[in-house]
Amino acid sequence: MLAPCTFIVFGATGNLARIKLLPAIYHLEEVGRIPDGSAIVGFSRRKFSNDEWREHVASTLKDKARGGLKNEVFERLSKRLHMVSGEMTDADSLQNLKTYIDANNLPKNLIFYMAIPPTQYTKVSQAIADTGLHQEEQGWRRLVIEKPFGYDSESAQVLNAKLHEHFTEKQIFRIDHYLGKAMVQNVLIFRFANLMLEPLWNRNYIDHVQITHSESLGISGRAAFYDGVGAMRDMIQSHLLQMLTLVAMEPPPNLDAESLRDEKVKVLKSIRPIAKRAVNAHAFRAQYGAGEVNGEHVQAYLQEEGVPAHSTTETYAALKLYIDNWRWRNVPFYLRTGKRMAQNSSVISIRFKHPPQQLFRQTQIEKIKPNWIILGIQPHECMRIEMQVKQPGLELNTHTTSLDASYCTHTDYQLDAYEALLLDIIENDRSLFLRYDEIAWAWGVVDPVIKQWDIERDYIHTYPAGSWGPPEVNKLFDRDDHYWRDALDQKED
Ligand code: BG6
């Protein structure tokens, strides 16, 4: 039986709480995974009575609850919901929170969830400490920090040091919500539960790896956050590098948090540093212009509300990396991400080498296509191995067929990453959260690029919204036969 806790959400009326946290809490309630006696306290500048807050949550959940809001589930949840209004960086307001917890006899195990702008993290943790709420006298404390963790290596280090003034490493949960996605976790299962893959999973057989995250949406009104941050910091430093570590890591001795994170750190440490003069050969950035997405005209990034007229913030970024270890030496890892692209899609594509001998040269098969392993992360979760087979008929022709693992479903039921992660926080399982050294090494990988880009602010390539990005990015490829796998299904030519 898990001990009850009080889950405090700073920024309870913000975007993250509305879109992700409250629905995840509701779905955990639905499946009975919130420990009995636990409370959820919203903390927000907006003034609400508890009843108004419960109504607000109900209306937020109406279109977010899977299969519609169920009354009996909401009634159970509603009993846990509390609201404390105040200024989150102000010691008096935090004192009110403390008094409220005591007066209502809420559980003394506290989770502080920072669903707030990153610039507030240190101020809020300071305010928590000023009231003594961080002290584990009557229960445990856990502090949850969203990405981005810092803005570059130096700022991440400063942030970490500030948080450590009041919280220990064991109390800090740094979220990268990609690690909560079912298919991202499945990468580990795919690799380490299937022995047949291991002998092939290295530079002798794998030609290159691609990791793509594309979104058809633009910045969705988030100019204040996004402009100046850009795609490299927003997506590649965190989510895409995390996916890379899972593809590239050595099998850990066991699945405990430290062993897993040790192996991920080893990968990040082995990434060949990008020299300043080589930034343009390794990285590419661009910004969306006007275009058409799903049949609708959409405006350019520069026309989005709140974006400065001459912003050169990248909405698309691509990066070529090499991992200098025995397994991966000289195998390129191509990473790319973009907003306002043709489709929403996150896919890891692994291309194998050609067979050593072209046995079919004298036949109609001029060039055999290589094998690919495709791991679809979202929206279509799938695992697929593409093979060449003979086409029926008298001639010796091939076509591509694929072995699809049964995970390849187009189901409407998709567990959200936050459900898994919130439960892990409650259960104190830290395997899917980032240790600080992972974050520091990940910043080390992208730092040379973002520093160079910050200097070169006079020009940025553009791509039409609704496209797969600018063709100029192809200069990153090591060889002429490398190309981006845009869609899950490869076109037969
Ligand atoms: C967030 C980024 O971390 O991840 C967003 O800040 C991005 O810009 C989002 O849209 C993508 O997450 P998901 O789960 O929708 O793929």
Side-chain angles (χ1 to χ4, degrees):
M1 260 287 282
L2 280 173
C5 61
T6 299
F7 195 106
I8 303 157
V9 184
F10 290 101
T13 51
N15 230 16
L16 180 68
R18 185 168 51 84
I19 298 175
K20 295 290 184 187
L21 303 184
L22 293 171
I25 289 170
Y26 169 88
H27 289 123
L28 289 177
E29 181 73 69
E30 186 173 19
V31 291
R33 298 299 291 270
I34 300 185
D36 287 348
S38 295
I40 319 288
V41 179
F43 189 95
S44 156
R45 211 180 287 152
R46 269 171 73 181
K47 286 209 166 18
F48 282 103
S49 66
N50 276 341
D51 284 342
E52 285 165 347
W53 171 238
R54 287 168 189 149
E55 268 170 42
H56 177 87
V57 175
S59 75
T60 300
L61 290 174
K62 252 192 205 117
D63 7 293
K64 303 270 174 218
R66 275 192 298 264
L69 190 67
K70 300 189 183 76
N71 282 340
E72 80 282 4
V73 179
F74 187 72
E75 261 168 42
R76 281 200 320 264
L77 178 64
S78 173
K79 294 195 185 104
R80 303 185 193 278
L81 293 175
H82 302 260
M83 168 51 84
V84 176
S85 303
E87 196 59 57
M88 60 195 166
T89 54
D90 164 51
D92 288 343
S93 304
L94 271 281
Q95 189 55 49
N96 290 344
L97 172 66
K98 191 168 186 237
T99 312
Y100 185 94
I101 292 172
D102 290 339
N104 290 278
N105 210 12
L106 301 186
K108 297 294 184 287
N109 295 320
L110 306 185
I111 295 172
F112 304 109
Y113 198 111
M114 307 270 196
I116 54 179
T119 47
Q120 309 276 43
Y121 293 160
T122 54
K123 293 183 199 146
V124 177
S125 90
Q126 184 61 49
I128 293 172
D130 288 344
T131 54
L133 262 178
H134 67 306
Q135 272 156 8
E136 292 194 320
E137 278 158 5
Q138 294 171 298
W140 46 252
R141 303 288 182 269
R142 290 174 197 155
L143 180 72
V144 189
I145 302 281
E146 276 285 334
K147 68 158 265 289
F149 194 91
Y151 186 77
D152 55 16
S153 290
E154 288 85 20
S155 56
Q157 203 177 348
V158 172
L159 170 59
N160 199 46
K162 291 260 181 224
L163 298 178
H164 275 294
E165 285 175 12
H166 312 297
F167 293 92
T168 63
E169 182 64 24
K170 285 223 154 81
Q171 293 174 306
I172 302 175
F173 287 70
R174 301 179 192 84
I175 282 207
D176 180 317
H177 77 278
Y178 263 63
L179 294 180
K181 289 186 190 276
M183 258 312 289
V184 173
Q185 292 171 36
N186 226 341
V187 173
L188 288 183
I189 312 265
F190 183 64
R191 286 195 54 202
F192 300 134
N194 295 300
L195 184 67
M196 57 186 266
L197 290 173
E198 172 54 25
L200 306 178
W201 210 259
N202 58 51
R203 64 197 190 88
N204 298 327
Y205 297 95
I206 291 181
D207 178 78
H208 73 270
V209 175
Q210 301 184 10
I211 304 180
T212 293
H213 169 91
S214 62
E215 293 177 32
S216 58
L217 281 178
I219 53 167
S220 313
R222 292 199 305 158
F225 160 75
Y226 197 86
D227 196 71
V229 170
M232 183 64 80
R233 288 184 175 91
D234 185 42
M235 292 296 302
I236 294 192
Q237 188 273 343
S238 47
H239 308 320
L240 271 69
L241 278 180
Q242 280 297 318
M243 289 198 262
L244 174 144
T245 59
L246 298 179
V247 172
M249 69 192 266
E250 294 302 315
N254 57 56
L255 278 186
D256 73 33
E258 297 318 318
S259 306
L260 203 63
R261 299 191 291 185
D262 286 346
E263 294 305 332
K264 288 199 285 166
V265 167
K266 281 190 209 157
V267 174
L268 293 166
K269 274 188 186 169
S270 313
I271 292 179
R272 192 181 300 169
I274 299 176
K276 199 171 162 202
R277 60 174 194 293
V279 163
N280 285 332
H282 278 262
F284 188 85
R285 65 181 166 165
Q287 191 185 75
Y288 60 83
E292 210 169 276
V293 175
N294 300 328
E296 267 183 38
H297 177 80
V298 298
Q299 60 190 0
Y301 176 73
L302 290 181
Q303 264 80 59
E304 301 274 9
E305 205 185 324
V307 171
H310 303 291
S311 169
T312 50
T313 295
E314 80 280 1
T315 58
Y316 174 102
L319 189 63
K320 173 170 66 177
L321 297 171
Y322 295 97
I323 301 172
D324 281 342
N325 61 18
W326 278 39
R327 190 186 282 270
W328 295 114
R329 190 155 173 99
N330 289 339
V331 175
F333 281 71
Y334 300 114
L335 276 47
R336 68 171 168 163
T337 182
K339 296 218 180 264
R340 282 288 188 232
M341 291 181 62
Q343 276 175 23
N344 284 325
S345 166
S346 285
V347 182
I348 299 172
S349 311
I350 296 156
R351 198 187 102 172
F352 282 78
K353 294 191 169 174
H354 285 284
Q357 206 186 348
Q358 285 288 346
L359 270 185
F360 302 97
R361 197 168 283 143
Q362 308 308 326
T363 72
Q364 304 228 6
I365 309 165
E366 277 167 18
K367 188 140 203 231
I368 293 205
K369 288 193 189 137
N371 302 121
W372 287 82
I373 288 185
I374 306 292
L375 304 170
I377 307 294
Q378 64 184 31
H380 302 310
E381 299 181 337
C382 74
M383 291 176 166
R384 171 181 297 177
I385 302 179
E386 288 181 354
M387 321 266 298
Q388 300 306 311
V389 292
K390 183 185 173 302
Q391 260 182 7
L394 291 175
E395 314 300 338
L396 201 52
N397 276 331
T398 58
H399 77 114
T400 305
T401 188
S402 57
L403 306 177
D404 278 327
S406 58
Y407 215 82
C408 199
T409 52
H410 291 221
T411 164
D412 289 338
Y413 182 89
Q414 284 201 334
L415 200 70
D416 189 81
Y418 276 89
E419 289 164 52
L421 294 175
L422 297 195
L423 192 59
D424 283 350
I425 299 166
I426 295 173
E427 294 179 346
N428 201 23
D429 180 348
R430 293 141 48 76
S431 358
L432 299 182
F433 296 84
L434 306 186
R435 208 165 60 188
Y436 176 66
D437 52 349
E438 280 182 81
I439 293 186
W441 283 103
W443 277 121
V445 171
V446 301
D447 254 4
V449 176
I450 54 186
K451 293 233 157 75
Q452 191 61 25
W453 286 359
D454 282 349
I455 299 169
E456 295 169 4
R457 280 283 167 216
D458 47 343
Y459 173 75
I460 185 161
H461 285 273
T462 54
Y463 58 99
S467 68
W468 277 104
E472 292 89 344
V473 67
N474 294 347
K475 71 172 190 179
L476 297 188
F477 290 134
D478 272 6
R479 291 214 318 262
D480 287 350
D481 68 340
H482 288 179
Y483 60 92
W484 296 108
R485 286 275 314 223
D486 288 337
L488 273 185
D489 295 309
Q490 174 127 271
K491 279 185 241 95
E492 286 279 341
D493 38 41

